[in-house]
Amino acid sequence: MRAFLARLCRGDSHLADDLAQETFVKAWRMASGWRGEGSYEGWLLRIAWRTFLSDRRGRREHDELEEAHLGGAEANPDAAIDVNRALDRLGDRERAAATLCLGEGYSHGEAAEIMGVPLGTLKSLVARAKAQLIRHLEGEAQ
């Protein structure tokens, strides 16, 4: 969940930590609401997604939204930087869908449930994100 929030927050680790903490507090308060349908991790990610959206709306209203580049690199730091830059260019919904399905390995159905969108919408978001990522990465490779 922390890695998911870090991607959504475009590398702002302090914001991601705050949202993760808020997510766990909400999950604790809503623990009786978990019906055991699907995975517990998916339920937490859904809460994290909604917490992120709520925070983003609040920041927009106060004109405090900050852009930050993701840090941290896996095996190839240059490739990771390129991917992070490409992800930063996506909208929030596309970035979340791509992170869940392409990065974290969730099925379309699981990701749709986490994000609270219909399956067809999620598939469109993933397809759009994938096409944009390819365009951005091909453009940076040249």
Side-chain angles (χ1 to χ4, degrees):
M1 180 195 48
R2 172 60 177 74
F4 175 63
L5 286 168
R7 289 256 188 224
L8 293 177
C9 295
R10 296 182 172 147
D12 184 342
S13 62
H14 297 295
L15 178 58
D17 289 343
D18 289 346
L19 293 177
Q21 182 176 356
E22 188 175 340
T23 297
F24 282 119
V25 169
K26 285 180 180 181
W28 180 71
R29 288 181 180 154
M30 299 173 12
S32 64
W34 187 61
R35 298 180 303 271
E37 298 170 3
S39 71
Y40 187 72
E41 182 181 10
W43 182 70
L44 282 175
L45 286 171
R46 180 187 303 197
I47 295 170
W49 170 244
R50 290 181 178 159
T51 301
F52 167 77
L53 290 176
S54 176
D55 180 76
R56 185 189 66 179
R57 277 190 294 272
R59 287 179 183 276
R60 273 199 188 143
E61 289 172 6
H62 296 95
D63 197 31
E64 298 174 358
L65 189 61
E66 295 180 15
E67 296 291 326
H69 293 289
L70 290 173
E74 293 81 41
N76 182 345
D78 293 334
I81 289 170
D82 290 344
V83 169
N84 289 334
R85 284 182 183 153
L87 282 168
D88 282 348
R89 293 179 182 168
L90 299 178
D92 292 329
R93 290 170 38 131
E94 288 82 5
R95 189 171 56 257
T99 298
L100 289 170
C101 294
L102 304 175
E104 300 294 326
Y106 285 93
S107 71
H108 286 146
E110 292 168 326
E113 185 178 326
I114 289 166
M115 292 181 64
V117 298
L119 181 60
T121 300
L122 186 278
K123 288 181 178 182
S124 294
L125 289 168
V126 171
R128 195 172 327 132
K130 192 173 184 179
Q132 290 175 5
L133 286 170
I134 290 170
R135 256 194 327 269
H136 294 313
L137 291 171
E138 286 176 347
E140 289 181 12
Q142 294 176 1

